Each structure stands twice: as C-alpha cells, then as structure tokens.
Amino acid sequence: MIKFTKLNWSNAFSYGESNTLDLASSTLTQLLGKNGNGKSSIALILEEVLFNTNSKKIKKADIINRYIKAKNYTITCEFEKDGHKYKIHTVR
C-alpha cells in the first residue's frame, strides 16, 4: 500500500510560495474551507506531480498562479511503499 506523507508546492493554481500539507501526522486528513479557497486544487496538484496530467485537463501554462510574478511552479510529493521512501519533484 502507498502511504502519502508530505505534499509541498509553490505558485500552483491559486497558491503562492511554500505550501506544505503533512499527510503523515494522522490517519485521516480533511480539507475544510469555503468555496473558491483551493481545496480541489490540492487534488489537481497531486495528480500533476504523480501522473503529469490532471483530471480537469488544465494546460501546464495555466497551472502557474497568474496573479504573482513567479516564472515557474514546483510540486514535491513524498510517499512510502513497502518500507521504502520516495520523492517526486516537478518544476515547470
């Protein structure tokens, strides 16, 4: 079984620099927020780093947060499988 432990990202969708979601601190993680606060963007970020695509078919050029002056976005996903630790890092 794959156990996701950490998701880090910067400048993707509506998010700015240095965002971290610690998925190892508990067995269940719940995202709460009003509509438009970026909850579903976290799932899209996870899809991008794992599968190099997303379920909404948003183009790579449109993933970067257009309201800031950043030139790229980064996503890092850490997970464990069969006692081995893995890290996937994407920069675009």
Side-chain angles (χ1 to χ4, degrees):
M1 181 168 77
I2 295 174
K3 180 182 177 185
F4 293 102
T5 55
K6 189 178 282 189
L7 183 64
N8 297 308
W9 70 97
S10 291
N11 307 322
F13 297 105
S14 60
Y15 290 94
E17 289 286 329
S18 302
N19 301 281
T20 300
L21 184 58
D22 181 7
L23 300 167
S25 60
S26 65
T27 56
L28 178 66
T29 301
Q30 181 178 6
L31 301 174
L32 300 172
K34 295 179 180 180
N35 290 342
N37 281 359
K39 299 178 302 294
S40 60
S41 293
I42 294 173
L44 295 174
I45 290 166
L46 188 57
E47 290 173 345
E48 271 299 321
V49 72
L50 294 175
F51 305 111
N52 198 30
T53 189
N54 60 75
S55 57
K56 289 190 175 182
K57 303 298 181 203
I58 298 171
K59 296 177 185 175
K60 304 289 186 228
D62 295 332
I63 292 173
I64 191 164
N65 185 337
R66 63 181 176 262
Y67 298 110
I68 58 177
K69 296 180 189 260
K71 301 287 186 213
N72 59 15
Y73 66 89
T74 62
I75 308 170
T76 304
C77 179
E78 298 177 25
F79 61 94
E80 297 175 3
K81 168 78 169 124
D82 298 330
H84 300 283
K85 294 181 179 184
Y86 297 92
K87 182 187 284 190
I88 302 171
H89 184 70
T90 301
V91 177
R92 287 205 170 72

